[in-house]
Amino acid sequence: LPFKAGVAPSVGSVLLLMGNDRSLLRITYLFERNAYVMSVTSPEGAREARKPYRLTIAQLNSWLEDGTAVVGRLPLSSEFLDAATTADEAQDALQKSLLAHIAPLVAHFEDEKNLASREFKARILARAQELQISKTTLRRLLLRYYYFGQLPAALSKLRPGRAPH
C-alpha cells in the first residue's frame, strides 16, 4: 500500500507501526484522552473490518515520539477511485442514501462512552430495525466507512466476492 508520511494525527489518518509486521491503524475518533483505531490492510480487508478499539493518546504520542509509529495517509482504493471518476447519478444517489443510513450512528459515536461494545452493538441494532435492514449489513457499511477514512466514495458498491489471487 502506498503510504504518505508526515501528516498530523487526525480522524481518517493512519498510523504505520514500524515493527516487523508494519501494521496500519486507521484513526476513527480522537478524544481528549483516547483515540479509537482499527486495523487496515488491503482494500479487500474492509469486508472483515472489526470495530474500532481504544488506544490512549499517551500511547499514541509515545509511539510518535520514539519512532515506533508514523502518521500518514493512504489513498482510496482504485475500486472507489474508478467509481468516483465514472460516477453517475445512480451511484451518487446510492452513496448519499447509504451515508444517510449511517450518519446518525457516526454522530452518536462521537461521544466516547457510546463506543463501548454493548452500546455500539445496541445502536447498530436499533438503527437497523428502524431502517428495516440487516444489522450485519449496517454494521459492515459503518465499518467500511471507517476503514476507508470516512470518505463518502467508500460507500460505493463493492465488486462482489474476493479478488482472485
Side-chain angles (χ1 to χ4, degrees):
L1 294 170
F3 180 82
K4 182 179 179 187
V7 176
S10 63
V11 170
S13 63
V14 175
L15 294 172
L16 171 60
L17 302 180
M18 302 304 282
N20 291 338
D21 64 353
R22 296 182 63 90
S23 305
L24 295 168
L25 299 175
R26 172 82 66 191
I27 299 172
T28 59
Y29 289 99
L30 284 171
F31 299 103
E32 185 176 331
R33 295 185 181 191
N34 298 304
Y36 281 76
V37 299
M38 68 188 317
S39 179
V40 293
T41 55
S42 65
E44 295 78 23
R47 296 182 199 286
E48 288 87 34
R50 308 206 35 116
K51 175 188 170 293
Y53 63 92
R54 185 173 47 115
L55 175 70
T56 66
I57 295 295
Q59 180 65 65
L60 188 149
N61 286 335
S62 172
W63 286 349
L64 294 173
E65 288 168 12
D66 71 13
T68 300
V70 294
V71 179
R73 294 253 176 230
L74 288 176
L76 192 59
S77 165
S78 62
E79 182 173 351
F80 299 122
L81 290 175
D82 294 345
T85 58
T86 61
D88 57 18
E89 288 182 27
Q91 182 69 16
D92 190 46
L94 174 66
Q95 286 177 8
K96 287 179 181 172
S97 171
L98 294 176
L99 189 56
H101 283 25
I102 63 169
L105 293 171
V106 172
H108 180 74
F109 297 135
E110 287 176 2
D111 182 342
E112 185 175 6
K113 72 180 186 296
N114 296 331
L115 285 165
S117 288
R118 182 175 289 185
E119 183 69 15
F120 192 81
K121 289 177 186 176
R123 287 296 175 155
I124 290 173
L125 176 60
R127 182 70 176 150
Q129 289 172 339
E130 179 184 334
L131 296 170
Q132 297 183 339
I133 64 173
S134 160
K135 69 179 180 194
T136 302
T137 298
L138 187 63
R139 183 176 195 277
R140 286 180 180 163
L141 182 65
L142 176 66
L143 293 179
R144 181 167 32 129
Y145 181 68
Y146 289 149
Y147 191 91
F148 291 110
Q150 301 185 27
L151 299 173
L155 300 176
S156 300
K157 187 172 181 170
L158 291 173
R159 289 186 284 247
R162 293 178 178 260
H165 296 294

